[in-house]
Amino acid sequence: MNTTGLAEFDRAWRDAIEQIPLARLATTLGGLTRLGERPASLTRLAAIIDMSTTDTLRLLRQNPSVHIDGDAIRWEPVFPGDQTRRTLYVGDREIPMRSGCAPDLFVYAAVLDVLFRVEETCPATGRAIHVELVPDGYRRVDPPETVTVLLPPQRLRAAGGGIFAEINDDVCAYQPFFSSAQAARSVLAAVPGSRTFTVAEMLDRPFVGYLRDRLRPLIHPAGPTPE
């Protein structure tokens, strides 16, 4: 991995995620609901993301898969789109993702207290990819050379004020899993300043550690569920 400018790249990604309210809300809601398994408290969600309940409700109402009943928030993780990009397996639940980024999964892994696995097809090679993430790491990556892409942080900032569909088109469409760094060359060429990271390297990114250390104890004060 090219380390030239990596610290600045990482710092900018962490700052962007911290400063985009929709990103903080989506991350916390995913952790509180275990990706839709159970309802979350609006009061608790607002407290964790340090926003008023009024502003939290405003952001929640931008997501049509969120249902609000008093203080209870129920999230049905329906990811819009025409084709499934990847499938998540959480316990006995199967969640097709027709939108969203592969790096989102490391964000969820940072705040979830249970393991989940991902199946995806490399868009460049057609090879099947399997990743199993646990609260503090990973259990399986096949093929081992699997990578994902992080676009330049300014690309995330530019899209951060838009609606979900705009973020999906401008950022997430370029950040799937690839079966190798070689397979990701087209994205690196199309978006200069992008970087590839293996699963282990993604889990070491400071923004993942920041979310794991700051948000997970607030979301799951009892700690991860034993496997």
Side-chain angles (χ1 to χ4, degrees), residues 110-204:
V111 298
L112 284 172
D113 62 340
V114 294
L115 65 87
F116 66 96
R117 61 189 176 92
V118 186
E119 293 184 0
E120 183 164 349
T121 300
C122 174
T125 65
R127 187 169 179 180
I129 295 171
H130 304 272
V131 179
E132 190 169 301
L133 295 164
V134 296
D136 292 303
Y138 67 94
R139 177 179 289 174
R140 177 191 180 196
V141 180
D142 183 30
E145 301 82 15
T146 293
V147 300
T148 190
V149 173
L150 287 179
L151 300 186
Q154 57 267 31
R155 186 73 170 253
L156 178 63
R157 287 183 181 277
I163 62 174
F164 177 82
E166 293 171 346
I167 296 173
N168 189 58
D169 290 343
D170 294 341
V171 178
C172 291
Y174 296 94
Q175 296 186 151
F177 278 117
F178 290 93
S179 57
S180 67
Q182 182 80 359
R185 286 185 307 168
S186 60
V187 171
L188 299 181
V191 188
S194 301
R195 290 173 178 263
T196 59
F197 297 95
T198 65
V199 168
E201 290 167 345
M202 278 298 300
L203 290 166
D204 282 340

Side-chain angles (χ1 to χ4, degrees), residues 11-12 27 39 65 71 79 91 98 104 120 141 144 155-156 201 209:
R11 184 166 52 250
T27 301
S65 63
D71 191 60
F79 296 88
R98 299 180 180 89
D104 291 346
E120 183 164 349
V141 180
R155 186 73 170 253
L156 178 63
E201 290 167 345

